[in-house]
mmCIF file of all heavy atoms in Angstrom:
data_model
loop_
_atom_site.group_PDB
_atom_site.id
_atom_site.type_symbol
_atom_site.label_atom_id
_atom_site.label_comp_id
_atom_site.label_asym_id
_atom_site.label_seq_id
_atom_site.Cartn_x
_atom_site.Cartn_y
_atom_site.Cartn_z
ATOM 1 N N GLU B 335 -2.772 5.470 -24.713
ATOM 2 C CA GLU B 335 -1.766 5.554 -25.769
ATOM 3 C C GLU B 335 -1.180 4.166 -26.029
ATOM 4 O O GLU B 335 -0.679 3.501 -25.116
ATOM 5 C CB GLU B 335 -0.655 6.524 -25.355
ATOM 6 C CG GLU B 335 0.328 6.855 -26.474
ATOM 7 C CD GLU B 335 1.543 7.642 -25.968
ATOM 8 O OE1 GLU B 335 1.460 8.244 -24.877
ATOM 9 O OE2 GLU B 335 2.564 7.620 -26.652
ATOM 10 N N LEU B 336 -1.241 3.752 -27.295
ATOM 11 C CA LEU B 336 -0.796 2.414 -27.671
ATOM 12 C C LEU B 336 0.733 2.318 -27.679
ATOM 13 O O LEU B 336 1.401 3.197 -28.189
ATOM 14 C CB LEU B 336 -1.340 2.109 -29.067
ATOM 15 C CG LEU B 336 -1.219 0.690 -29.594
ATOM 16 C CD1 LEU B 336 -1.980 -0.290 -28.724
ATOM 17 C CD2 LEU B 336 -1.739 0.623 -31.022
ATOM 18 N N GLY B 337 1.251 1.243 -27.103
ATOM 19 C CA GLY B 337 2.696 1.041 -27.089
ATOM 20 C C GLY B 337 3.043 -0.409 -26.813
ATOM 21 O O GLY B 337 2.210 -1.304 -26.992
ATOM 22 N N ASN B 338 4.300 -0.628 -26.407
ATOM 23 C CA ASN B 338 4.767 -1.998 -26.158
ATOM 24 C C ASN B 338 4.630 -2.357 -24.674
ATOM 25 O O ASN B 338 4.942 -1.553 -23.813
ATOM 26 C CB ASN B 338 6.226 -2.114 -26.577
ATOM 27 C CG ASN B 338 6.407 -1.761 -28.037
ATOM 28 O OD1 ASN B 338 5.788 -2.370 -28.911
ATOM 29 N ND2 ASN B 338 7.215 -0.750 -28.317
ATOM 30 N N VAL B 339 4.163 -3.577 -24.422
ATOM 31 C CA VAL B 339 3.920 -4.015 -23.044
ATOM 32 C C VAL B 339 5.199 -4.614 -22.453
ATOM 33 O O VAL B 339 5.764 -5.553 -23.016
ATOM 34 C CB VAL B 339 2.783 -5.071 -23.000
ATOM 35 C CG1 VAL B 339 2.529 -5.527 -21.562
ATOM 36 C CG2 VAL B 339 1.507 -4.521 -23.622
ATOM 37 N N TRP B 340 5.648 -4.060 -21.313
ATOM 38 C CA TRP B 340 6.819 -4.556 -20.598
ATOM 39 C C TRP B 340 6.384 -5.014 -19.215
ATOM 40 O O TRP B 340 5.560 -4.363 -18.579
ATOM 41 C CB TRP B 340 7.875 -3.458 -20.431
ATOM 42 C CG TRP B 340 8.539 -3.019 -21.697
ATOM 43 C CD1 TRP B 340 7.966 -2.319 -22.713
ATOM 44 C CD2 TRP B 340 9.913 -3.234 -22.078
ATOM 45 N NE1 TRP B 340 8.894 -2.088 -23.712
ATOM 46 C CE2 TRP B 340 10.091 -2.622 -23.341
ATOM 47 C CE3 TRP B 340 10.994 -3.866 -21.457
ATOM 48 C CZ2 TRP B 340 11.314 -2.642 -24.013
ATOM 49 C CZ3 TRP B 340 12.219 -3.880 -22.122
ATOM 50 C CH2 TRP B 340 12.370 -3.282 -23.392
ATOM 51 N N VAL B 341 6.942 -6.129 -18.738
ATOM 52 C CA VAL B 341 6.582 -6.611 -17.397
ATOM 53 C C VAL B 341 7.825 -6.990 -16.599
ATOM 54 O O VAL B 341 8.880 -7.301 -17.164
ATOM 55 C CB VAL B 341 5.626 -7.832 -17.434
ATOM 56 C CG1 VAL B 341 4.273 -7.445 -18.003
ATOM 57 C CG2 VAL B 341 6.215 -8.991 -18.198
ATOM 58 N N ARG B 342 7.659 -6.951 -15.274
ATOM 59 C CA ARG B 342 8.755 -7.317 -14.386
ATOM 60 C C ARG B 342 8.193 -8.055 -13.181
ATOM 61 O O ARG B 342 7.129 -7.707 -12.667
ATOM 62 C CB ARG B 342 9.483 -6.047 -13.935
ATOM 63 C CG ARG B 342 10.676 -6.313 -13.043
ATOM 64 C CD ARG B 342 11.580 -5.110 -12.988
ATOM 65 N NE ARG B 342 11.006 -4.056 -12.148
ATOM 66 C CZ ARG B 342 11.668 -2.935 -11.830
ATOM 67 N NH1 ARG B 342 12.885 -2.726 -12.296
ATOM 68 N NH2 ARG B 342 11.102 -2.019 -11.079
ATOM 69 N N GLY B 343 8.900 -9.060 -12.723
ATOM 70 C CA GLY B 343 8.475 -9.820 -11.543
ATOM 71 C C GLY B 343 9.253 -11.120 -11.471
ATOM 72 O O GLY B 343 9.851 -11.551 -12.469
ATOM 73 N N GLU B 344 9.240 -11.745 -10.293
ATOM 74 C CA GLU B 344 10.050 -12.960 -10.103
ATOM 75 C C GLU B 344 9.615 -14.119 -10.989
ATOM 76 O O GLU B 344 10.402 -15.002 -11.294
ATOM 77 C CB GLU B 344 9.975 -13.408 -8.635
ATOM 78 C CG GLU B 344 10.881 -12.638 -7.714
ATOM 79 C CD GLU B 344 10.802 -13.200 -6.308
ATOM 80 O OE1 GLU B 344 11.343 -14.300 -6.076
ATOM 81 O OE2 GLU B 344 10.166 -12.556 -5.460
ATOM 82 N N GLN B 345 8.331 -14.143 -11.374
ATOM 83 C CA GLN B 345 7.862 -15.255 -12.198
ATOM 84 C C GLN B 345 8.258 -15.099 -13.673
ATOM 85 O O GLN B 345 8.099 -16.019 -14.456
ATOM 86 C CB GLN B 345 6.352 -15.395 -12.066
ATOM 87 C CG GLN B 345 5.556 -14.304 -12.776
ATOM 88 C CD GLN B 345 4.074 -14.424 -12.516
ATOM 89 O OE1 GLN B 345 3.598 -14.215 -11.406
ATOM 90 N NE2 GLN B 345 3.320 -14.780 -13.549
ATOM 91 N N VAL B 346 8.737 -13.907 -14.029
ATOM 92 C CA VAL B 346 9.089 -13.638 -15.429
ATOM 93 C C VAL B 346 10.461 -14.223 -15.748
ATOM 94 O O VAL B 346 11.457 -13.849 -15.135
ATOM 95 C CB VAL B 346 9.082 -12.122 -15.715
ATOM 96 C CG1 VAL B 346 9.499 -11.852 -17.156
ATOM 97 C CG2 VAL B 346 7.714 -11.533 -15.422
ATOM 98 N N SER B 347 10.509 -15.140 -16.692
ATOM 99 C CA SER B 347 11.779 -15.731 -17.087
ATOM 100 C C SER B 347 12.397 -14.905 -18.219
ATOM 101 O O SER B 347 13.473 -14.340 -18.067
ATOM 102 C CB SER B 347 11.566 -17.182 -17.534
ATOM 103 O OG SER B 347 12.563 -17.558 -18.450
ATOM 104 N N GLY B 348 11.720 -14.848 -19.333
ATOM 105 C CA GLY B 348 12.217 -14.068 -20.465
ATOM 106 C C GLY B 348 13.508 -14.613 -21.039
ATOM 107 O O GLY B 348 14.269 -13.909 -21.678
ATOM 108 N N GLU B 349 13.737 -15.904 -20.806
ATOM 109 C CA GLU B 349 14.991 -16.502 -21.264
ATOM 110 C C GLU B 349 14.700 -17.629 -22.245
ATOM 111 O O GLU B 349 13.765 -18.400 -22.058
ATOM 112 C CB GLU B 349 15.739 -17.042 -20.042
ATOM 113 C CG GLU B 349 17.169 -17.444 -20.356
ATOM 114 C CD GLU B 349 17.903 -17.942 -19.105
ATOM 115 O OE1 GLU B 349 17.651 -17.408 -18.005
ATOM 116 O OE2 GLU B 349 18.697 -18.872 -19.243
ATOM 117 N N TYR B 350 15.517 -17.692 -23.293
ATOM 118 C CA TYR B 350 15.359 -18.741 -24.294
ATOM 119 C C TYR B 350 16.649 -19.539 -24.418
ATOM 120 O O TYR B 350 17.738 -18.990 -24.297
ATOM 121 C CB TYR B 350 15.021 -18.139 -25.664
ATOM 122 C CG TYR B 350 13.816 -17.263 -25.654
ATOM 123 C CD1 TYR B 350 13.953 -15.893 -25.472
ATOM 124 C CD2 TYR B 350 12.542 -17.796 -25.793
ATOM 125 C CE1 TYR B 350 12.842 -15.066 -25.447
ATOM 126 C CE2 TYR B 350 11.431 -16.980 -25.766
ATOM 127 C CZ TYR B 350 11.586 -15.619 -25.592
ATOM 128 O OH TYR B 350 10.487 -14.810 -25.562
ATOM 129 N N LYS B 351 16.469 -20.829 -24.666
ATOM 130 C CA LYS B 351 17.628 -21.690 -24.835
ATOM 131 C C LYS B 351 18.424 -21.267 -26.068
ATOM 132 O O LYS B 351 17.870 -21.078 -27.136
ATOM 133 C CB LYS B 351 17.163 -23.144 -24.985
ATOM 134 C CG LYS B 351 18.287 -24.121 -24.975
ATOM 135 C CD LYS B 351 17.940 -25.353 -24.188
ATOM 136 C CE LYS B 351 18.175 -25.172 -22.702
ATOM 137 N NZ LYS B 351 17.969 -26.387 -21.956
ATOM 138 N N GLY B 352 19.720 -21.100 -25.890
ATOM 139 C CA GLY B 352 20.578 -20.754 -27.017
ATOM 140 C C GLY B 352 20.521 -19.288 -27.405
ATOM 141 O O GLY B 352 21.279 -18.843 -28.259
ATOM 142 N N ILE B 353 19.628 -18.533 -26.826
ATOM 143 C CA ILE B 353 19.499 -17.107 -27.141
ATOM 144 C C ILE B 353 19.873 -16.273 -25.918
ATOM 145 O O ILE B 353 20.529 -15.247 -26.026
ATOM 146 C CB ILE B 353 18.067 -16.761 -27.612
ATOM 147 C CG1 ILE B 353 17.733 -17.528 -28.888
ATOM 148 C CG2 ILE B 353 17.912 -15.253 -27.816
ATOM 149 C CD1 ILE B 353 16.293 -17.415 -29.334
ATOM 150 N N GLY B 354 19.454 -16.763 -24.743
ATOM 151 C CA GLY B 354 19.758 -16.052 -23.507
ATOM 152 C C GLY B 354 18.584 -15.230 -23.024
ATOM 153 O O GLY B 354 17.462 -15.387 -23.511
ATOM 154 N N SER B 355 18.852 -14.341 -22.080
ATOM 155 C CA SER B 355 17.788 -13.571 -21.445
ATOM 156 C C SER B 355 17.430 -12.343 -22.268
ATOM 157 O O SER B 355 18.291 -11.680 -22.827
ATOM 158 C CB SER B 355 18.230 -13.136 -20.056
ATOM 159 O OG SER B 355 17.274 -12.247 -19.522
ATOM 160 N N LYS B 356 16.147 -12.063 -22.341
ATOM 161 C CA LYS B 356 15.673 -10.880 -23.055
ATOM 162 C C LYS B 356 15.339 -9.744 -22.080
ATOM 163 O O LYS B 356 14.786 -8.722 -22.480
ATOM 164 C CB LYS B 356 14.423 -11.225 -23.874
ATOM 165 C CG LYS B 356 14.702 -12.107 -25.072
ATOM 166 C CD LYS B 356 15.290 -11.296 -26.219
ATOM 167 C CE LYS B 356 15.628 -12.176 -27.403
ATOM 168 N NZ LYS B 356 16.397 -11.445 -28.410
ATOM 169 N N LEU B 357 15.647 -9.946 -20.795
ATOM 170 C CA LEU B 357 15.360 -8.899 -19.811
ATOM 171 C C LEU B 357 16.353 -7.749 -20.003
ATOM 172 O O LEU B 357 17.515 -7.971 -20.336
ATOM 173 C CB LEU B 357 15.494 -9.432 -18.389
ATOM 174 C CG LEU B 357 14.672 -10.652 -17.977
ATOM 175 C CD1 LEU B 357 14.774 -10.864 -16.474
ATOM 176 C CD2 LEU B 357 13.217 -10.505 -18.374
ATOM 177 N N ASP B 358 15.888 -6.510 -19.759
ATOM 178 C CA ASP B 358 16.827 -5.401 -19.824
ATOM 179 C C ASP B 358 17.582 -5.305 -18.495
ATOM 180 O O ASP B 358 17.376 -6.109 -17.588
ATOM 181 C CB ASP B 358 16.119 -4.095 -20.217
ATOM 182 C CG ASP B 358 15.261 -3.511 -19.102
ATOM 183 O OD1 ASP B 358 15.292 -4.051 -17.966
ATOM 184 O OD2 ASP B 358 14.568 -2.519 -19.350
ATOM 185 N N SER B 359 18.457 -4.305 -18.374
ATOM 186 C CA SER B 359 19.342 -4.248 -17.203
ATOM 187 C C SER B 359 18.575 -4.051 -15.897
ATOM 188 O O SER B 359 19.079 -4.346 -14.819
ATOM 189 C CB SER B 359 20.344 -3.108 -17.386
ATOM 190 O OG SER B 359 19.634 -1.900 -17.552
ATOM 191 N N GLU B 360 17.320 -3.581 -16.004
ATOM 192 C CA GLU B 360 16.518 -3.402 -14.786
ATOM 193 C C GLU B 360 15.508 -4.521 -14.577
ATOM 194 O O GLU B 360 14.624 -4.413 -13.712
ATOM 195 C CB GLU B 360 15.803 -2.045 -14.832
ATOM 196 C CG GLU B 360 16.788 -0.895 -14.670
ATOM 197 C CD GLU B 360 16.139 0.449 -14.906
ATOM 198 O OE1 GLU B 360 15.107 0.515 -15.615
ATOM 199 O OE2 GLU B 360 16.669 1.433 -14.387
ATOM 200 N N GLY B 361 15.640 -5.578 -15.362
ATOM 201 C CA GLY B 361 14.777 -6.745 -15.158
ATOM 202 C C GLY B 361 13.453 -6.707 -15.898
ATOM 203 O O GLY B 361 12.596 -7.561 -15.679
ATOM 204 N N TRP B 362 13.271 -5.727 -16.789
ATOM 205 C CA TRP B 362 12.006 -5.639 -17.532
ATOM 206 C C TRP B 362 12.049 -6.544 -18.755
ATOM 207 O O TRP B 362 13.042 -6.591 -19.471
ATOM 208 C CB TRP B 362 11.732 -4.197 -17.971
ATOM 209 C CG TRP B 362 11.391 -3.282 -16.847
ATOM 210 C CD1 TRP B 362 12.238 -2.455 -16.176
ATOM 211 C CD2 TRP B 362 10.091 -3.088 -16.255
ATOM 212 N NE1 TRP B 362 11.548 -1.766 -15.212
ATOM 213 C CE2 TRP B 362 10.238 -2.128 -15.228
ATOM 214 C CE3 TRP B 362 8.821 -3.638 -16.501
ATOM 215 C CZ2 TRP B 362 9.164 -1.692 -14.444
ATOM 216 C CZ3 TRP B 362 7.756 -3.212 -15.724
ATOM 217 C CH2 TRP B 362 7.929 -2.253 -14.706
#
Side-chain angles (χ1 to χ4, degrees):
Chain B
E335 189 189 340
L336 190 62
N338 302 303
V339 180
W340 292 69
V341 294
R342 182 162 75 173
E344 280 183 73
Q345 73 185 68
V346 178
S347 153
E349 191 178 325
Y350 304 93
K351 188 140 276 186
I353 298 172
S355 172
K356 289 282 178 190
L357 304 190
D358 73 6
S359 58
E360 290 172 336
W362 290 96

